[in-house]
Amino acid sequence: MLTAPADLRLALDLVGIFAFAISGGLVGVRARLDLFGVAVLAWATGLGGGILRDLLLGDVPPVGISEPRYIITVLLAGLAVVAVYPVVVDLGRRRPRLRLGVIGQAVKYLDAVGLAVFSVAGALKALILGAPPLACIVVGVLTAVGGGAIRDVLVGQVPEVLRREVYAVPALLGASTVVVASRLEVLSVAVVWGAVALVLGLRITAIVLDLQVPTRLHLPTLPTVRRGQDHRPARPHTVRRREGPAGPATTDHRPPDLPARTDGRPSDHLPPPPEESSR
Protein backbone atom coordinates (compact mmCIF):
# COMPACT_ATOMS: atom_id res chain seq x y z
CA MET A 1 0.00 0.00 0.00
CA LEU A 2 0.94 3.62 -0.43
CA THR A 3 2.87 5.14 2.46
CA ALA A 4 3.14 8.81 3.43
CA PRO A 5 0.70 10.08 0.78
CA ALA A 6 0.77 13.68 2.02
CA ASP A 7 4.53 14.03 1.72
CA LEU A 8 4.55 12.33 -1.66
CA ARG A 9 1.79 14.54 -3.06
CA LEU A 10 3.54 17.63 -1.69
CA ALA A 11 6.79 16.66 -3.42
CA LEU A 12 5.00 16.02 -6.72
CA ASP A 13 3.12 19.30 -6.52
CA LEU A 14 6.20 21.36 -5.73
CA VAL A 15 8.18 19.86 -8.61
CA GLY A 16 5.31 20.39 -11.04
CA ILE A 17 4.63 23.94 -9.87
CA PHE A 18 8.26 24.96 -10.23
CA ALA A 19 8.64 23.46 -13.72
CA PHE A 20 5.37 24.88 -15.02
CA ALA A 21 5.98 28.30 -13.47
CA ILE A 22 9.36 28.62 -15.18
CA SER A 23 7.86 27.56 -18.51
CA GLY A 24 5.11 30.16 -18.12
CA GLY A 25 7.65 32.87 -17.35
CA LEU A 26 9.73 31.93 -20.39
CA VAL A 27 6.65 32.09 -22.61
CA GLY A 28 6.06 35.59 -21.26
CA VAL A 29 9.63 36.54 -22.17
CA ARG A 30 9.16 35.10 -25.66
CA ALA A 31 5.94 37.11 -26.02
CA ARG A 32 7.87 40.29 -25.03
CA LEU A 33 5.76 40.97 -21.93
CA ASP A 34 6.95 43.17 -19.10
CA LEU A 35 8.02 41.77 -15.74
CA PHE A 36 4.49 41.92 -14.35
CA GLY A 37 3.16 39.98 -17.32
CA VAL A 38 5.92 37.40 -16.90
CA ALA A 39 5.00 37.00 -13.22
CA VAL A 40 1.29 36.58 -14.05
CA LEU A 41 2.04 33.88 -16.61
CA ALA A 42 4.33 32.09 -14.16
CA TRP A 43 1.64 32.09 -11.48
CA ALA A 44 -1.17 30.99 -13.84
CA THR A 45 0.90 28.19 -15.36
CA GLY A 46 2.29 26.87 -12.11
CA LEU A 47 -0.90 26.92 -10.07
CA GLY A 48 -3.65 26.79 -12.71
CA GLY A 49 -3.74 23.01 -13.02
CA GLY A 50 -3.81 22.45 -9.27
CA ILE A 51 -6.57 25.00 -8.73
CA LEU A 52 -8.66 23.34 -11.45
CA ARG A 53 -8.08 19.94 -9.80
CA ASP A 54 -9.18 21.13 -6.37
CA LEU A 55 -12.28 22.81 -7.75
CA LEU A 56 -13.32 19.64 -9.57
CA LEU A 57 -12.79 17.57 -6.43
CA GLY A 58 -14.53 20.06 -4.14
CA ASP A 59 -11.40 20.69 -2.08
CA VAL A 60 -11.86 24.39 -1.40
CA PRO A 61 -10.22 26.74 -0.95
CA PRO A 62 -7.67 25.38 -3.47
CA VAL A 63 -4.21 24.82 -2.11
CA GLY A 64 -2.85 26.98 -4.92
CA ILE A 65 -4.11 30.07 -3.14
CA SER A 66 -4.01 28.86 0.47
CA GLU A 67 -0.77 26.87 0.80
CA PRO A 68 2.22 29.16 1.50
CA ARG A 69 4.73 26.63 0.23
CA TYR A 70 3.09 26.56 -3.19
CA ILE A 71 3.09 30.34 -3.47
CA ILE A 72 6.74 30.50 -2.36
CA THR A 73 7.63 27.96 -5.05
CA VAL A 74 5.99 30.13 -7.71
CA LEU A 75 7.86 33.18 -6.43
CA LEU A 76 11.17 31.34 -6.61
CA ALA A 77 10.44 30.25 -10.17
CA GLY A 78 9.51 33.84 -11.06
CA LEU A 79 12.76 35.13 -9.57
CA ALA A 80 14.69 32.56 -11.61
CA VAL A 81 13.04 33.80 -14.80
CA VAL A 82 13.67 37.43 -13.86
CA ALA A 83 17.34 36.58 -13.26
CA VAL A 84 17.78 35.22 -16.78
CA TYR A 85 15.51 37.87 -18.35
CA PRO A 86 18.35 40.31 -19.27
CA VAL A 87 20.40 37.48 -20.75
CA VAL A 88 17.51 36.31 -22.90
CA VAL A 89 16.71 39.85 -24.05
CA ASP A 90 20.34 40.47 -25.01
CA LEU A 91 20.41 37.16 -26.87
CA GLY A 92 17.24 38.17 -28.69
CA ARG A 93 18.83 41.40 -29.88
CA ARG A 94 21.92 39.69 -31.22
CA ARG A 95 20.41 36.43 -32.50
CA PRO A 96 16.60 36.48 -32.44
CA ARG A 97 16.16 33.10 -34.11
CA LEU A 98 18.44 31.42 -31.58
CA ARG A 99 16.52 33.06 -28.72
CA LEU A 100 13.19 31.75 -29.96
CA GLY A 101 14.64 28.28 -30.51
CA VAL A 102 16.23 28.06 -27.05
CA ILE A 103 13.11 29.30 -25.27
CA GLY A 104 10.87 27.00 -27.29
CA GLN A 105 12.89 23.90 -26.45
CA ALA A 106 13.19 24.88 -22.79
CA VAL A 107 9.42 25.36 -22.53
CA LYS A 108 8.76 21.95 -24.08
CA TYR A 109 11.08 20.09 -21.71
CA LEU A 110 9.83 21.96 -18.64
CA ASP A 111 6.27 21.20 -19.71
CA ALA A 112 7.23 17.54 -19.95
CA VAL A 113 8.33 17.57 -16.31
CA GLY A 114 5.19 19.36 -15.14
CA LEU A 115 2.99 17.09 -17.25
CA ALA A 116 4.52 13.97 -15.72
CA VAL A 117 4.24 14.94 -12.07
CA PHE A 118 0.87 16.69 -12.29
CA SER A 119 -0.87 13.83 -14.11
CA VAL A 120 0.20 11.45 -11.35
CA ALA A 121 -0.41 13.92 -8.50
CA GLY A 122 -3.89 14.77 -9.77
CA ALA A 123 -4.97 11.16 -10.06
CA LEU A 124 -3.42 10.36 -6.68
CA LYS A 125 -5.28 13.14 -4.86
CA ALA A 126 -8.55 12.12 -6.53
CA LEU A 127 -8.04 8.54 -5.30
CA ILE A 128 -7.36 9.70 -1.75
CA LEU A 129 -10.52 11.81 -1.76
CA GLY A 130 -12.57 8.81 -2.89
CA ALA A 131 -13.40 9.78 -6.47
CA PRO A 132 -14.46 7.06 -8.94
CA PRO A 133 -11.72 5.54 -11.13
CA LEU A 134 -12.80 7.29 -14.34
CA ALA A 135 -13.05 10.63 -12.55
CA CYS A 136 -9.54 10.09 -11.14
CA ILE A 137 -8.14 9.64 -14.64
CA VAL A 138 -9.94 12.70 -15.99
CA VAL A 139 -8.82 14.84 -13.05
CA GLY A 140 -5.22 13.68 -13.52
CA VAL A 141 -5.21 14.66 -17.20
CA LEU A 142 -6.86 18.02 -16.57
CA THR A 143 -4.41 18.78 -13.79
CA ALA A 144 -1.53 18.09 -16.16
CA VAL A 145 -2.77 20.13 -19.12
CA GLY A 146 -4.70 22.87 -17.31
CA GLY A 147 -1.84 25.22 -16.47
CA GLY A 148 -0.30 25.06 -19.92
CA ALA A 149 -3.67 25.65 -21.59
CA ILE A 150 -4.30 28.75 -19.45
CA ARG A 151 -0.83 30.06 -20.30
CA ASP A 152 -1.29 29.61 -24.05
CA VAL A 153 -4.71 31.25 -24.03
CA LEU A 154 -3.34 34.28 -22.16
CA VAL A 155 -0.67 34.86 -24.83
CA GLY A 156 -3.06 34.21 -27.72
CA GLN A 157 -1.78 30.80 -28.80
CA VAL A 158 -3.53 27.53 -29.55
CA PRO A 159 -3.10 25.36 -26.42
CA GLU A 160 -0.52 22.62 -26.74
CA VAL A 161 -3.07 19.95 -25.88
CA LEU A 162 -5.12 20.88 -28.98
CA ARG A 163 -2.22 20.56 -31.38
CA ARG A 164 -1.01 17.45 -33.18
CA GLU A 165 1.88 16.82 -30.81
CA VAL A 166 1.73 13.83 -28.46
CA TYR A 167 0.91 15.76 -25.30
CA ALA A 168 -2.21 14.53 -23.50
CA VAL A 169 -1.69 10.84 -24.31
CA PRO A 170 1.28 10.40 -21.91
CA ALA A 171 -0.69 12.16 -19.15
CA LEU A 172 -3.59 9.78 -19.77
CA LEU A 173 -1.28 6.77 -19.46
CA GLY A 174 0.30 8.09 -16.26
CA ALA A 175 -3.02 8.75 -14.55
CA SER A 176 -4.37 5.38 -15.69
CA THR A 177 -1.31 3.62 -14.29
CA VAL A 178 -1.91 5.10 -10.85
CA VAL A 179 -5.62 4.21 -10.90
CA VAL A 180 -5.04 0.63 -12.08
CA ALA A 181 -2.32 0.10 -9.47
CA SER A 182 -4.68 1.36 -6.79
CA ARG A 183 -7.43 -1.01 -7.93
CA LEU A 184 -4.98 -3.91 -7.83
CA GLU A 185 -3.76 -2.77 -4.38
CA VAL A 186 -0.16 -2.54 -5.50
CA LEU A 187 0.13 1.24 -5.35
CA SER A 188 3.38 2.31 -3.69
CA VAL A 189 5.93 5.09 -3.81
CA ALA A 190 7.93 3.15 -6.40
CA VAL A 191 4.86 2.73 -8.61
CA VAL A 192 4.09 6.45 -8.35
CA TRP A 193 7.58 7.53 -9.39
CA GLY A 194 7.57 4.84 -12.07
CA ALA A 195 4.41 6.37 -13.53
CA VAL A 196 6.09 9.78 -13.48
CA ALA A 197 9.10 8.34 -15.31
CA LEU A 198 6.78 6.72 -17.87
CA VAL A 199 5.02 9.97 -18.70
CA LEU A 200 8.28 11.92 -18.79
CA GLY A 201 9.95 9.37 -21.05
CA LEU A 202 7.06 9.28 -23.49
CA ARG A 203 6.83 13.05 -23.71
CA ILE A 204 10.56 13.55 -24.20
CA THR A 205 10.58 10.84 -26.86
CA ALA A 206 7.76 12.65 -28.65
CA ILE A 207 9.75 15.90 -28.51
CA VAL A 208 13.00 14.39 -29.77
CA LEU A 209 11.39 12.33 -32.55
CA ASP A 210 8.77 14.97 -33.36
CA LEU A 211 5.93 12.48 -33.03
CA GLN A 212 2.52 13.69 -34.14
CA VAL A 213 -0.95 12.41 -33.42
CA PRO A 214 -2.51 11.05 -36.64
CA THR A 215 -5.30 13.16 -38.07
CA ARG A 216 -8.21 12.31 -40.31
CA LEU A 217 -7.64 11.43 -43.95
CA HIS A 218 -7.51 14.35 -46.35
CA LEU A 219 -10.37 13.58 -48.72
CA PRO A 220 -10.98 15.69 -51.83
CA THR A 221 -13.61 18.30 -51.22
CA LEU A 222 -16.35 19.06 -53.72
CA PRO A 223 -16.95 22.66 -54.76
CA THR A 224 -19.74 24.27 -52.83
CA VAL A 225 -22.68 25.64 -54.79
CA ARG A 226 -24.64 28.39 -53.15
CA ARG A 227 -28.37 28.53 -53.35
CA GLY A 228 -29.56 30.16 -56.53
CA GLN A 229 -26.23 29.69 -58.32
CA ASP A 230 -25.53 27.37 -61.23
CA HIS A 231 -21.90 26.74 -62.18
CA ARG A 232 -22.77 25.26 -65.58
CA PRO A 233 -21.71 27.48 -68.48
CA ALA A 234 -24.62 29.44 -69.92
CA ARG A 235 -25.58 28.57 -73.49
CA PRO A 236 -26.76 31.41 -75.69
CA HIS A 237 -30.27 31.23 -77.08
CA THR A 238 -30.72 31.04 -80.82
CA VAL A 239 -33.67 33.08 -82.04
CA ARG A 240 -34.80 32.63 -85.64
CA ARG A 241 -36.98 35.24 -87.21
CA ARG A 242 -39.26 34.59 -90.14
CA GLU A 243 -38.65 36.10 -93.51
CA GLY A 244 -40.38 39.42 -93.86
CA PRO A 245 -40.13 42.72 -95.65
CA ALA A 246 -36.83 43.45 -94.02
CA GLY A 247 -35.07 40.53 -95.68
CA PRO A 248 -34.47 36.80 -95.36
CA ALA A 249 -34.62 34.90 -92.10
CA THR A 250 -31.68 35.62 -89.80
CA THR A 251 -30.21 33.92 -86.74
CA ASP A 252 -29.56 36.01 -83.63
CA HIS A 253 -27.36 34.75 -80.74
CA ARG A 254 -27.74 36.50 -77.39
CA PRO A 255 -27.40 35.60 -73.69
CA PRO A 256 -30.47 34.03 -72.12
CA ASP A 257 -31.30 37.08 -70.02
CA LEU A 258 -31.67 39.46 -72.99
CA PRO A 259 -35.07 39.28 -74.70
CA ALA A 260 -35.33 39.33 -78.48
CA ARG A 261 -36.68 42.35 -80.30
CA THR A 262 -39.98 41.88 -82.05
CA ASP A 263 -39.76 44.76 -84.52
CA GLY A 264 -37.16 43.14 -86.73
CA ARG A 265 -34.29 45.35 -85.55
CA PRO A 266 -31.26 44.02 -83.65
CA SER A 267 -31.25 44.24 -79.87
CA ASP A 268 -29.91 47.41 -78.25
CA HIS A 269 -27.71 45.33 -75.96
CA LEU A 270 -25.77 43.78 -78.85
CA PRO A 271 -22.90 45.45 -80.66
CA PRO A 272 -23.87 46.93 -84.02
CA PRO A 273 -23.27 44.70 -87.04
CA PRO A 274 -20.09 45.40 -88.99
CA GLU A 275 -20.46 47.73 -91.91
CA GLU A 276 -20.21 46.23 -95.34
CA SER A 277 -17.31 47.48 -97.33
CA SER A 278 -18.12 48.94 -100.71
CA ARG A 279 -16.90 46.94 -103.54
Side-chain angles (χ1 to χ4, degrees), residues 26 88 91 96-109:
L26 290 178
V88 176
L91 181 63
R97 292 185 178 180
L98 179 62
R99 177 184 68 88
L100 294 177
V102 170
I103 293 179
Q105 290 298 316
V107 168
K108 285 187 175 182
Y109 285 107

Side-chain angles (χ1 to χ4, degrees), residues 59-279:
D59 186 15
V60 291
V63 292
I65 59 176
S66 60
E67 175 59 53
R69 287 172 291 187
Y70 290 5
I71 299 176
I72 292 175
T73 303
V74 172
L75 292 177
L76 292 177
L79 291 177
V81 175
V82 170
V84 301
Y85 184 86
V87 179
V88 176
V89 171
D90 182 67
L91 181 63
R93 293 172 181 174
R94 294 185 288 107
R95 303 183 65 180
R97 292 185 178 180
L98 179 62
R99 177 184 68 88
L100 294 177
V102 170
I103 293 179
Q105 290 298 316
V107 168
K108 285 187 175 182
Y109 285 107
L110 289 170
D111 274 2
V113 176
L115 189 79
V117 294
F118 267 3
S119 62
V120 174
L124 186 60
K125 185 170 183 178
L127 285 172
I128 294 174
L129 293 180
L134 181 59
C136 295
I137 297 175
V138 173
V139 169
V141 175
L142 292 179
T143 306
V145 303
I150 295 173
R151 174 200 64 201
D152 295 339
V153 170
L154 289 177
V155 295
Q157 297 179 355
V158 178
E160 196 79 19
V161 66
L162 300 181
R163 300 179 189 175
R164 291 185 56 194
E165 294 187 8
V166 179
Y167 190 81
V169 175
L172 180 63
L173 293 177
S176 301
T177 301
V178 174
V179 173
V180 171
S182 176
R183 299 290 291 181
L184 297 177
E185 297 184 355
V186 294
L187 188 60
S188 62
V189 176
V191 172
V192 170
W193 287 111
V196 171
L198 173 65
V199 178
L200 183 61
L202 290 176
R203 179 57 187 150
I204 291 180
T205 301
I207 295 173
V208 174
L209 301 181
D210 194 19
L211 299 180
Q212 306 289 333
V213 176
T215 58
R216 62 180 178 86
L217 298 177
H218 296 282
L219 300 177
T221 57
L222 298 177
T224 58
V225 179
R226 297 181 180 177
R227 181 179 298 178
Q229 292 184 350
D230 191 357
H231 290 274
R232 293 176 296 179
R235 300 177 61 183
H237 290 189
T238 302
V239 180
R240 298 186 63 87
R241 292 193 297 270
R242 295 180 180 181
E243 183 178 0
T250 58
T251 302
D252 189 10
H253 298 279
R254 57 176 52 85
D257 56 346
L258 298 180
R261 298 289 294 268
T262 58
D263 54 0
R265 292 180 298 173
S267 175
D268 296 337
H269 298 280
L270 298 177
E275 298 181 357
E276 297 183 358
S277 59
S278 61
R279 295 181 180 179

Side-chain angles (χ1 to χ4, degrees), residues 2-58:
L2 184 63
T3 59
D7 296 338
L8 181 61
R9 285 188 292 112
L10 177 62
L12 292 173
D13 283 346
L14 292 180
V15 173
I17 289 171
F18 189 79
F20 267 138
I22 291 182
S23 72
L26 290 178
V27 170
V29 173
R30 184 174 60 185
R32 299 181 182 275
L33 302 180
D34 56 8
L35 293 179
F36 180 76
V38 171
V40 169
L41 278 185
W43 181 87
T45 310
L47 300 177
I51 293 175
L52 178 62
R53 172 198 63 195
D54 294 343
L55 292 177
L56 290 175
L57 296 175

